[in-house]
CSV table of all heavy atoms in Angstrom, one decimal:
chain,number,residue,atom,x,y,z
A,54,LYS,N,45.3,1.1,29.8
A,54,LYS,CA,45.4,2.3,28.8
A,54,LYS,C,46.0,1.8,27.5
A,54,LYS,O,45.7,2.4,26.5
A,54,LYS,CB,46.3,3.3,29.4
A,54,LYS,CG,46.5,4.5,28.6
A,54,LYS,CD,46.3,5.8,29.4
A,54,LYS,CE,46.6,7.0,28.5
A,54,LYS,NZ,45.4,7.7,28.1
A,55,ARG,N,46.9,0.8,27.5
A,55,ARG,CA,47.5,0.3,26.3
A,55,ARG,C,46.4,-0.4,25.4
A,55,ARG,O,46.4,-0.2,24.2
A,55,ARG,CB,48.6,-0.7,26.6
A,55,ARG,CG,49.5,-1.0,25.4
A,55,ARG,CD,50.6,-1.9,25.7
A,55,ARG,NE,51.5,-1.3,26.8
A,55,ARG,CZ,51.8,-2.0,27.9
A,55,ARG,NH1,51.5,-3.3,28.0
A,55,ARG,NH2,52.6,-1.5,28.8
A,56,ARG,N,45.5,-1.1,26.1
A,56,ARG,CA,44.4,-1.7,25.4
A,56,ARG,C,43.4,-0.7,24.8
A,56,ARG,O,42.9,-0.9,23.7
A,56,ARG,CB,43.7,-2.7,26.3
A,56,ARG,CG,44.4,-4.0,26.4
A,56,ARG,CD,43.6,-5.0,27.2
A,56,ARG,NE,44.4,-5.4,28.3
A,56,ARG,CZ,44.0,-5.6,29.6
A,56,ARG,NH1,42.7,-5.5,29.8
A,56,ARG,NH2,44.8,-6.0,30.5
A,57,ASN,N,43.1,0.3,25.6
A,57,ASN,CA,42.1,1.3,25.2
A,57,ASN,C,42.7,2.7,25.5
A,57,ASN,O,42.7,3.2,26.6
A,57,ASN,CB,40.8,1.2,26.0
A,57,ASN,CG,39.8,2.1,25.6
A,57,ASN,OD1,40.0,2.9,24.6
A,57,ASN,ND2,38.6,2.1,26.2
A,58,PRO,N,43.3,3.3,24.5
A,58,PRO,CA,44.0,4.6,24.6
A,58,PRO,C,43.1,5.8,25.1
A,58,PRO,O,43.5,6.7,25.6
A,58,PRO,CB,44.6,4.9,23.3
A,58,PRO,CG,44.6,3.7,22.5
A,58,PRO,CD,43.5,2.8,23.1
A,59,LYS,N,41.8,5.6,24.9
A,59,LYS,CA,40.9,6.7,25.3
A,59,LYS,C,40.5,6.6,26.8
A,59,LYS,O,40.0,7.6,27.3
A,59,LYS,CB,39.6,6.6,24.5
A,59,LYS,CG,39.8,6.9,23.0
A,59,LYS,CD,38.5,6.8,22.3
A,59,LYS,CE,38.7,7.1,20.8
A,59,LYS,NZ,37.5,7.1,20.0
A,60,HIS,N,40.9,5.5,27.4
A,60,HIS,CA,40.7,5.4,28.9
A,60,HIS,C,41.6,6.3,29.6
A,60,HIS,O,42.8,6.4,29.4
A,60,HIS,CB,40.9,4.0,29.3
A,60,HIS,CG,40.7,3.7,30.8
A,60,HIS,ND1,41.7,3.8,31.7
A,60,HIS,CD2,39.6,3.4,31.4
A,60,HIS,CE1,41.3,3.6,32.9
A,60,HIS,NE2,40.0,3.3,32.7
A,61,LYS,N,41.0,7.1,30.5
A,61,LYS,CA,41.8,8.1,31.3
A,61,LYS,C,41.9,7.6,32.7
A,61,LYS,O,41.0,7.0,33.3
A,61,LYS,CB,41.1,9.5,31.3
A,61,LYS,CG,41.1,10.1,30.0
A,61,LYS,CD,40.6,11.5,30.0
A,61,LYS,CE,40.6,12.2,28.7
A,61,LYS,NZ,40.1,13.5,28.7
A,62,ALA,N,43.0,7.9,33.4
A,62,ALA,CA,43.2,7.6,34.8
A,62,ALA,C,42.2,8.3,35.6
A,62,ALA,O,42.1,9.5,35.5
A,62,ALA,CB,44.6,7.8,35.2
A,63,ARG,N,41.6,7.7,36.6
A,63,ARG,CA,40.6,8.3,37.4
A,63,ARG,C,41.2,8.8,38.7
A,63,ARG,O,40.6,9.7,39.3
A,63,ARG,CB,39.4,7.4,37.6
A,63,ARG,CG,38.7,7.0,36.4
A,63,ARG,CD,37.7,5.9,36.6
A,63,ARG,NE,36.8,6.2,37.8
A,63,ARG,CZ,36.0,5.3,38.2
A,63,ARG,NH1,35.9,4.1,37.7
A,63,ARG,NH2,35.2,5.6,39.3
A,64,ARG,N,42.2,8.2,39.2
A,64,ARG,CA,42.7,8.5,40.5
A,64,ARG,C,43.7,9.6,40.6
A,64,ARG,O,44.1,10.0,41.7
A,64,ARG,CB,43.3,7.2,41.1
A,64,ARG,CG,44.5,6.7,40.4
A,64,ARG,CD,44.9,5.3,40.9
A,64,ARG,NE,45.9,4.7,40.1
A,64,ARG,CZ,47.1,4.8,40.4
A,64,ARG,NH1,47.6,5.4,41.4
A,64,ARG,NH2,48.0,4.3,39.6
A,65,TRP,N,44.1,10.1,39.5
A,65,TRP,CA,45.1,11.2,39.5
A,65,TRP,C,44.5,12.6,39.3
A,65,TRP,O,45.2,13.5,39.0
A,65,TRP,CB,46.2,10.9,38.5
A,65,TRP,CG,47.0,9.7,38.8
A,65,TRP,CD1,47.5,9.3,40.1
A,65,TRP,CD2,47.5,8.7,37.9
A,65,TRP,NE1,48.2,8.2,40.0
A,65,TRP,CE2,48.2,7.8,38.7
A,65,TRP,CE3,47.4,8.6,36.6
A,65,TRP,CZ2,48.9,6.7,38.1
A,65,TRP,CZ3,48.0,7.5,36.0
A,65,TRP,CH2,48.7,6.6,36.8
A,66,VAL,N,43.2,12.7,39.3
A,66,VAL,CA,42.5,13.9,39.0
A,66,VAL,C,43.0,15.0,40.0
A,66,VAL,O,43.3,16.1,39.6
A,66,VAL,CB,41.0,13.8,39.1
A,66,VAL,CG1,40.3,15.1,38.9
A,66,VAL,CG2,40.5,12.8,38.1
A,67,VAL,N,43.1,14.7,41.3
A,67,VAL,CA,43.5,15.7,42.3
A,67,VAL,C,44.9,16.1,42.1
A,67,VAL,O,45.3,17.3,42.2
A,67,VAL,CB,43.2,15.2,43.7
A,67,VAL,CG1,43.8,16.1,44.7
A,67,VAL,CG2,41.7,14.9,43.9
A,68,GLU,N,45.8,15.1,41.8
A,68,GLU,CA,47.2,15.4,41.6
A,68,GLU,C,47.4,16.3,40.4
A,68,GLU,O,48.2,17.2,40.4
A,68,GLU,CB,48.0,14.1,41.5
A,68,GLU,CG,48.0,13.3,42.7
A,68,GLU,CD,48.5,11.9,42.5
A,68,GLU,OE1,49.1,11.6,41.4
A,68,GLU,OE2,48.4,11.1,43.5
Side-chain angles (χ1 to χ4, degrees):
K54 180 133 177 106
R55 195 176 305 129
R56 281 187 235 139
N57 184 3
K59 293 182 181 179
H60 180 267
K61 294 185 179 180
R63 295 170 52 188
R64 63 190 170 94
W65 294 320
V66 175
V67 174
E68 294 170 7

